[in-house]
Amino acid sequence: MHLYVAARLYRIDAIRSRIRPGAWALGALLLWLVYLGGVHLGDEALDWRWWPGQFAMTWLGILFITSVCLLVSDLATCFGYWWRPHNRKLTAGAALAGALVSAFAIYQAVRTPVVVEHELVLKDLPAHLDGTVLVALSDIHLGAQRRAAWMERVVERINAVNPAAVLLLGDQVEDEPANDPRLAGVLRAIRAPRGVWAVTGNHEYYGNAAGTIAEFEAGGVRWLRDERIELLPGLHLAGIDDIGSRMRNGGNILSGLDQLYPGAAQGATILMAHIPAAPVIDRAAARGVGLMLSGHTHGGQIWPFNYLVAQRFPYVDGAHHVGDMQIIVTRGAGGWGPRMRLWKPGEMLKLTLRAPR
């Protein structure tokens, strides 16, 4: 993609008239080497290495979007054989479109997540809990880019919803603990009388999971690791530890869920499970769970990768029904890899629970 974009951009008259071919080729080569160096360094480190790593990931996203725009132009002109008087102008227009769409995708990724509301009837919910409001977030990915200052804006938006409890659905960090001294204070500013509850995601286990758990516990967050509690009288909250490592190693991904519910779930039940794997969904529905909340997919993050994600997971984004169970898969509050989202921004869920009538 890098070579393709470099070659097509050099067809634009405004570039060809100002830059010699050798200088353009040298610049493209140097940019490619910076990209390779950034990929090698990665973007998880919290020191200077984050910048080339972040450039590499974002450049990859820009290349993809720009390549798609340029390819549309090339197909329209049969790679320059049709509309010859205009094909260079079309190439310039496609390059401009790639730049504008990329800028929009970056904006969608870095903005404060929007509130997406779901009103749902939860089976067996007691009448006195009708109207209970919860907030759920997933895939925050705190780290080198998203720090306590970004999370502070998220907390302000959470508090504006006035939830009874806040549910964090995994991938709270990029890989390693955020190591931000302000984070604990920011998390303690969340106003939720029934607490803030979390489950682990795959990224917690890519790094120091114990350190991340302790870091969030210092901010008042309580973790559910194959555990369940009674959140409110008649409303049960359960959380399973991340199944990602077991998926990668061929282990039993249902062991945590089976430990929680060897038989049918009793009462109104919400299950927090980071990865919406089909076996977990089917087993939870069979056990009588009323609502399952997941993340992990990022909603595909950059269109059209949502179609590829759908080949791996049955539900990529939004609310669905599996038998009597409802499942909501959130596209997440943050992002991973290229700091880009196309076309939908990050989100946090406002869940209003209704009792059956």
Side-chain angles (χ1 to χ4, degrees):
M1 289 191 296
H2 184 88
L3 293 174
Y4 172 66
V5 169
R8 289 337 243 174
L9 290 183
Y10 200 67
R11 297 179 71 246
I12 299 173
D13 291 332
I15 294 176
R16 292 174 64 90
S17 63
R18 290 172 171 81
I19 304 175
R20 294 178 180 272
W24 181 259
L26 179 61
L29 175 63
L30 291 175
L31 189 60
W32 184 57
L33 292 175
V34 171
Y35 163 77
L36 289 179
V39 169
H40 178 72
L41 289 170
D43 66 341
E44 294 86 9
L46 301 181
D47 54 23
W48 64 270
R49 291 172 293 173
W50 173 78
W51 293 101
Q54 185 53 64
F55 165 79
M57 291 293 98
T58 302
W59 180 241
L60 182 62
I62 293 171
L63 279 178
F64 171 75
I65 292 172
T66 306
S67 293
V68 170
C69 293
L70 290 170
L71 183 59
V72 170
S73 171
D74 278 340
L75 292 175
T77 63
C78 195
F79 290 86
Y81 287 103
W82 299 338
W83 300 346
R84 290 191 175 184
H86 306 290
N87 58 35
R88 291 191 177 183
K89 292 180 181 178
L90 286 172
T91 299
L96 178 61
L100 292 176
V101 173
S102 296
F104 177 73
I106 293 171
Y107 164 73
Q108 289 281 65
V110 302
R111 63 182 293 193
T112 306
V114 300
V115 178
V116 175
E117 299 190 27
H118 294 270
E119 186 169 309
L120 46 96
V121 176
L122 184 60
K123 67 178 183 178
D124 298 324
L125 184 72
H128 70 273
L129 295 182
D130 185 83
T132 298
V133 174
L134 307 175
V135 162
L137 300 94
S138 185
D139 301 281
I140 302 170
H141 286 278
L142 294 178
Q145 187 196 48
R146 295 179 184 87
R147 306 285 283 163
W150 182 84
M151 190 64 192
E152 196 168 27
R153 298 196 299 272
V154 175
V155 169
E156 290 174 359
R157 190 151 290 183
I158 291 172
N159 290 341
V161 174
N162 194 29
V166 175
L167 314 180
L168 304 180
L169 304 176
D171 283 5
Q172 275 69 257
V173 296
E174 190 76 348
D175 281 353
E176 300 294 341
N179 292 320
D180 190 326
R182 292 185 54 206
L183 181 60
V186 170
L187 293 173
R188 288 192 176 278
I190 296 175
R191 295 194 298 270
R194 304 308 297 181
V196 182
W197 302 88
V199 294
T200 56
N202 51 299
H203 275 265
E204 272 79 37
Y205 283 102
Y206 291 160
N208 178 8
T212 296
I213 289 169
E215 185 174 52
F216 275 73
E217 284 178 339
V221 177
R222 286 170 281 184
W223 295 79
L224 294 175
R225 307 181 67 189
D226 299 338
E227 299 171 272
R228 57 181 175 176
I229 54 101
E230 190 171 38
L231 184 65
L232 288 161
L235 176 60
H236 303 274
L237 179 66
I240 59 173
D241 218 19
D242 177 61
I243 65 171
S245 60
R246 281 171 280 189
M247 290 177 69
R248 292 187 294 274
N249 298 324
N252 180 11
I253 66 175
L254 297 174
S255 59
L257 184 57
D258 288 343
Q259 175 184 320
L260 275 174
Y261 295 107
Q266 302 297 317
T269 302
I270 298 174
L271 173 67
M272 302 162 63
H274 177 66
I275 297 178
V280 175
I281 294 170
D282 294 339
R283 184 64 60 87
R287 290 290 190 265
V289 170
L291 172 63
M292 177 173 165
L293 301 174
S294 296
H296 185 65
T297 66
H298 294 208
Q301 192 161 317
I302 300 176
W303 179 91
F305 289 101
N306 50 306
Y307 297 110
L308 294 178
V309 175
Q311 304 305 307
R312 181 75 184 275
F313 299 104
Y315 305 109
V316 176
D317 186 15
H320 310 271
H321 280 82
V322 181
D324 293 332
M325 185 182 77
Q326 300 173 80
I327 177 172
I328 300 178
V329 179
T330 172
R331 60 180 178 265
W336 178 81
R339 265 33 176 200
M340 307 173 81
R341 278 189 173 272
L342 194 66
W343 294 95
K344 297 179 180 179
E347 68 177 10
M348 52 180 277
L349 304 180
K350 176 186 176 182
L351 307 173
T352 303
L353 306 182
R354 295 297 180 188
R357 300 191 185 279

